[in-house]
Amino acid sequence: MGGLAANSSVYGPQTNAYVLKHLEVVEIVINNPAIEDHTFHFHGHNVQVIETGPYGNSSTIGREPVAHKVSGPWPMWRDTVQVRAFEFIRVRFRADNPGVWFLHCHLAVHMYNGLAVVFAEAPDVLQQRQIVPKEMVEMCKRQGIPTQGNGAGNLGFDLSGLPPAVYPPS
């Protein structure tokens, strides 16, 4: 993809992709306005839990209002975090692992409904460092799977051939 790899549009609209710069410090706030808890899993990184607290009017869920908490000088590291009903969580990580990484809710139905995001981390560095074994390229070619191009296997921003949405298995 060359220089286009830094443009989130080439990954296709279904990926909900964000491009991260190499070694950038990333903070993410996950809000949970729902009545059920969500467990989120980070691929490719452990994250520091920086802050948690109430989202909106947490006293409406029939329990004690949750306290707002800010981490101390040594925030805990996790690859999975629980975001309780009507709460938020703020996490932080350093983009030091070039690749394409997935952040998703662990409930499959929520993931299929879009509670997920893709991080294309340092695609410029990845293109310089990654060596795909020729056996893998040949295997893809034998199956008719494109070995270069955008999210649809085409050049530039031509996303024709991409399915209109991601659906859960039936």
Side-chain angles (χ1 to χ4, degrees), residues 7-8 18 21-22 26 32 39 43 111 120 122 137-139 147 153 158:
N7 187 317
S8 62
Y18 290 87
K21 294 178 183 170
H22 191 230
V26 180
N32 184 3
T39 302
H43 291 256
M111 185 174 59
V137 174
E138 290 303 316
M139 183 175 65
T147 58
D158 174 13

Side-chain angles (χ1 to χ4, degrees), residues 39-157:
T39 302
F40 282 88
H41 178 67
F42 294 79
H43 291 256
H45 285 283
N46 287 323
V47 297
Q48 292 178 300
V49 177
I50 303 302
E51 182 181 17
T52 62
Y55 175 81
N57 185 4
S58 63
S59 63
T60 62
I61 60 173
R63 66 176 190 222
E64 291 295 316
V66 68
H68 179 261
K69 299 176 187 170
V70 178
S71 69
W74 306 104
M76 66 178 142
W77 290 91
R78 303 264 187 223
D79 70 350
T80 304
V81 296
Q82 177 97 12
V83 187
R84 295 183 58 204
F86 299 105
E87 292 185 23
F88 78 91
I89 190 167
R90 179 186 308 268
V91 297
R92 178 187 300 150
F93 68 94
R94 184 178 173 110
D96 59 0
N97 190 11
V100 180
W101 304 111
F102 200 39
L103 162 62
H104 62 93
C105 180
H106 251 225
L107 294 173
V109 69
H110 294 169
M111 185 174 59
Y112 290 128
N113 286 324
L115 212 47
V117 64
V118 171
F119 296 112
E121 182 176 326
D124 53 338
V125 175
L126 182 62
Q127 289 179 96
Q128 293 170 2
R129 293 182 184 172
Q130 185 178 38
I131 299 171
V132 179
K134 64 181 180 182
E135 296 83 7
M136 296 297 290
V137 174
E138 290 303 316
M139 183 175 65
C140 289
K141 286 181 179 177
R142 283 194 305 272
Q143 297 178 60
I145 298 170
T147 58
Q148 58 186 351
N150 60 26
N154 301 324
L155 298 178
F157 296 104

